[in-house]
Amino acid sequence: MDEKAAVELLRRMKRIRMAEEAIAERYSEWKMRCPTHLCIGQEVAGAAVGLALRGDDMVVSTHRSHGHYLGKGGSLERMIAELYGKASGCSGGKGGSMHMIDLAAGFVGSTAIVGGTIPIGVGLGLSFAIKGTDQVSCIFFGDGAVEEGVFYESANFAALRKLPVLFVCENNLYSVYSNIRSRQPAGRAIHRMVGAMGMETRHGDGNDAVAVHEELQEVVAGIRAGNGPCFLELDTYRWREHCGPNYDNDLGYRSEAEFLAWKAKDPIPQLCERLLAKGVLTAAAVAAMEAAIAEEVEQAFAFAEAAPFPPPEAASAHLYKESPCREC
Amino acid sequence: MSRMLTFAKAVNEALFQAMSRDERVICYGLGVDDPKGIFGTTLGLKERFGAQRVFDMPTSENAMTGIGIGAALNGIRPVMMHQRLDFFLLALDQLVNNGAKWHYMFGGQASVPITIRLVVGQGWGQGPQHSQSLHAWLCHIPGLKVVMPFSPYDAKALLAASIEDDNPVVFIEHRWLHNTFGHVPEGPCRELLGKARVVRQGGDLTIVASSYMVLEALRCAEVLAAIGVDIEVVDVRTIHPLDTATILESVAKTGRLLVADGGWRNCGFAAEVLAVVTEQAFATLVCAPQRVTLADCPIPTSPVLAVDCYPDRRSMAERVCRMLATDPDFDKLFPPLETPRDVPDKSFTGPF
């Protein structure tokens, strides 16, 4: 992998991790008053996809979207301000953690209904096909979303029309507290099932950032060349509770041992050590990278704290877009 | 404006003109390019505008709605169509959670200019799952616009406006209106969404109606005129957002309100109109406002069972006369029709 790209991959993952750790640390201040789903442990997908895509490619995502948003280049300050419910939040305080947008970065939106943005992403792909551009649409979702009917409907249409769509399924084994084995039959591999629908599929280790990025380079190039959609399943694990800043292994829906086994595969030190060993990065360079991110995170929180709340009357704004009235 | 056209042809013309005017407009839905062309409304579109812009779709109502919304987010203006409203219920998630919310929940940064045409069936044994007029559900959702035209002119003018609107619009067509004739100009025409229209002036009582119910209300008014009852008919046209001003103005004049609605009574559209008028103009009412709606049961299939479930000119007239404390001979006023009551007119040959 290109050294510069590898360093950028590490930086994006660290930025996601450090921003979310700061959210977790401050969540109990009760200033971020919205359901917040952290992706700590799952940073590879957002960082690697964001790096593999072009600025004008478009992404849609789920309730657990901080990593996807930041990975694509979304504004950190506006993300934190959105969690604070501020007017300068990325959605003006209307959305919160589960409804983020940064159109300048090509992040078209994340929503809170499982599977809800899958057809939206396919529709973006359809718009590229109609307009004849070579943009790619990327849809993030989890293993639970492939249990929704809308997934099959959307994948079918993407395959039928060979649309430029990248489906990224982060399989973290749990839908809230329900293990995949109580939801899908034993022996099923999601990517193989989807392959039977007539779509190219890949399967990767969601903790191996370099391998995922390399896979993505190839996959995105293929989609851009007009080969049709591709489905990428990544094995990964959510470290913290489904929703909120804490750990929840004490609930008993999964074992501490399972968590520790996944945590040992932490993708960030894996990549960092690899780059140190190869001499691509020095310890001092890593420290400088971390210091710069810490500074940015600190500034983002300061921005969010200082930002004004929207006025109460904003609650009834943006109900409809004002349409220009054409003359007959 | 002397040319007569059917409602279906007016819809077809609106689609042709919208697609000619704006290359971002696309049309899709099950059967848009089949030989019947959605009751004739989409005939010729594919030949004229090509398969890229006019296409059949998989039987996937929910995803195909979301796909339209996604395309709309990137500047496409989809017109999606369903041959029955009932089929569209599968797509409520995408319409309500995404279509109606996207502009609002992202602080006005994006919008969803999609138009969804739904057809409401009636008669010829449509039965419980091909006849539902669930427009009231859609009126409950902030962020949606819901249009229910009655006249062929409005079918053309309001569909043009719906397609040009930057918001999601549900455009509901009653199947019994498709073959009705009216004056329709040849050139492009538009009417503002959100405006009702007084389609018949009168001084004794206001009937508020939309879609096919307007036709029945006009027939009721015509019959009652013969016994000196002077009815005003308000065609709501856009049922959400509701033009309360036009309704209130009419009721202020007549003092009596009857709402005729093709949906069910409970929490229905008629209930909303009654609530608005009693809240805002109670003092102008000289008697309790009333409503005629579908009977509170699913629509059965047998014509013998189905016909009396629907409000019609006679049930409206009976209610009007009660409100005016007159008691004419209704059997004389409404002699049996030449055509069976489970079809709209003699030209109708079924099956749907």
Side-chain angles (χ1 to χ4, degrees), chain A residues 58 60 78 82 89-92 94-96 98-103 108-111 113-124 126-132 135 149-150 153-154 156-158 160-161 163 314-328, chain B residues 21-24 26 28 51-53 55-77 90 93-94 97-98 100 102-111 141-145 153 164-168 188-192 240-241:
Chain A
M58 295 187 185
V60 289
R78 298 197 68 199
E82 187 60 34
C90 59
S91 302
K94 295 270 178 68
M98 297 198 288
H99 305 290
M100 301 204 305
I101 186 168
D102 190 332
L103 292 175
V108 177
S110 56
T111 75
I113 307 293
V114 172
T117 51
I118 296 175
I120 303 295
V122 174
L124 292 170
L126 176 65
S127 74
F128 301 152
I130 290 172
K131 294 178 175 190
Q135 288 159 282
V150 78
E153 295 184 6
S154 304
N156 176 60
F157 188 71
L160 173 75
R161 299 286 291 261
L163 296 176
S316 56
H318 304 308
L319 198 48
Y320 295 103
K321 184 175 178 193
E322 289 299 320
S323 289
C325 173
R326 288 177 64 141
E327 293 302 315
C328 290
Chain B
R21 191 164 52 234
D22 187 344
E23 63 175 14
R24 300 170 302 171
I26 63 170
Y28 67 93
Q52 179 88 307
R53 293 177 65 197
F55 52 89
D56 205 356
M57 69 172 209
T59 317
S60 304
E61 289 82 0
N62 194 32
M64 291 310 299
T65 302
I67 286 166
I69 293 166
L73 287 170
N74 193 35
I76 303 297
R77 303 184 84 88
L90 286 162
D93 168 50
Q94 284 300 319
N97 280 320
N98 285 340
W102 211 277
H103 182 65
Y104 183 88
M105 74 184 169
F106 295 115
Q109 293 173 78
S111 63
I141 309 300
L144 291 183
K145 295 187 180 182
Y153 168 74
E164 286 173 5
D165 198 281
D166 285 328
N167 300 283
C189 55
R190 303 175 184 79
E191 287 282 323
L192 280 180
H240 184 58

Side-chain angles (χ1 to χ4, degrees), chain B residues 67-90:
Chain B
I67 286 166
I69 293 166
L73 287 170
N74 193 35
I76 303 297
R77 303 184 84 88
V79 183
M80 187 194 199
M81 9 207 135
H82 301 273
Q83 307 206 22
R84 282 293 178 272
L85 182 149
D86 316 60
F87 309 159
F88 185 68
L89 300 190
L90 286 162

Side-chain angles (χ1 to χ4, degrees), chain B residues 2-305:
Chain B
S2 61
R3 188 183 57 145
M4 298 292 278
L5 216 59
T6 63
F7 187 109
K9 188 75 185 116
V11 167
N12 184 251
E13 206 165 81
L15 292 171
F16 260 91
Q17 290 174 0
M19 296 193 76
S20 303
R21 191 164 52 234
D22 187 344
E23 63 175 14
R24 300 170 302 171
V25 177
I26 63 170
C27 288
Y28 67 93
L30 272 169
V32 291
D33 59 350
D34 76 15
K36 298 253 176 111
I38 318 228
F39 314 118
T41 62
T42 58
L43 288 176
L45 290 174
K46 189 175 185 180
E47 292 73 10
R48 168 75 172 76
F49 299 105
Q52 179 88 307
R53 293 177 65 197
V54 182
F55 52 89
D56 205 356
M57 69 172 209
T59 317
S60 304
E61 289 82 0
N62 194 32
M64 291 310 299
T65 302
I67 286 166
I69 293 166
L73 287 170
N74 193 35
I76 303 297
R77 303 184 84 88
V79 183
M80 187 194 199
M81 9 207 135
H82 301 273
Q83 307 206 22
R84 282 293 178 272
L85 182 149
D86 316 60
F87 309 159
F88 185 68
L89 300 190
L90 286 162
L92 287 179
D93 168 50
Q94 284 300 319
L95 181 72
V96 174
N97 280 320
N98 285 340
K101 306 279 191 298
W102 211 277
H103 182 65
Y104 183 88
M105 74 184 169
F106 295 115
Q109 293 173 78
S111 63
V112 182
I114 188 172
T115 302
I116 297 167
R117 291 178 50 212
L118 305 177
V119 175
V120 173
Q122 178 174 337
W124 203 275
Q126 294 296 297
Q129 297 178 340
H130 275 53
S131 63
Q132 298 175 85
S133 196
L134 296 166
H135 49 281
W137 288 11
L138 304 169
C139 295
H140 195 65
I141 309 300
L144 291 183
K145 295 187 180 182
V146 186
V147 179
M148 287 184 83
F150 148 65
S151 71
Y153 168 74
D154 277 344
K156 179 171 175 180
L158 291 172
L159 182 56
S162 299
I163 295 169
E164 286 173 5
D165 198 281
D166 285 328
N167 300 283
V169 179
V170 182
F171 190 89
I172 300 176
E173 301 164 26
H174 196 284
R175 180 71 187 99
W176 281 19
L177 292 175
H178 278 138
N179 297 333
T180 60
F181 281 88
H183 295 285
V184 180
E186 283 178 34
C189 55
R190 303 175 184 79
E191 287 282 323
L192 280 180
L193 301 185
K195 295 283 179 207
R197 174 188 283 145
V198 176
V199 289
R200 188 184 201 280
Q201 302 272 352
D204 292 335
L205 181 143
T206 299
I207 298 181
V208 170
S210 60
S211 188
Y212 180 69
M213 281 297 114
V214 177
L215 185 56
E216 289 293 327
L218 289 171
R219 285 166 171 166
C220 167
E222 202 178 305
V223 170
L224 292 185
I227 58 163
V229 173
D230 189 21
I231 292 176
E232 178 146 309
V233 178
V234 176
D235 176 0
V236 184
R237 306 202 298 162
T238 300
I239 62 168
H240 184 58
L242 184 62
D243 177 5
T244 55
T246 301
I247 294 169
L248 290 168
E249 199 179 310
S250 175
V251 175
K253 185 171 84 173
T254 64
R256 294 180 183 86
L257 170 65
L258 172 67
V259 185
D261 186 44
W264 283 296
R265 183 180 53 194
N266 227 19
C267 300
F269 177 71
E272 181 59 28
V273 177
L274 295 191
V276 165
V277 171
T278 44
E279 274 173 351
Q280 298 184 34
F282 189 69
T284 68
L285 293 168
V286 300
C287 67
Q290 300 282 310
R291 55 188 151 162
V292 289
T293 63
L294 274 191
D296 271 334
C297 58
I299 297 299
T301 297
S302 164
V304 174
L305 298 175

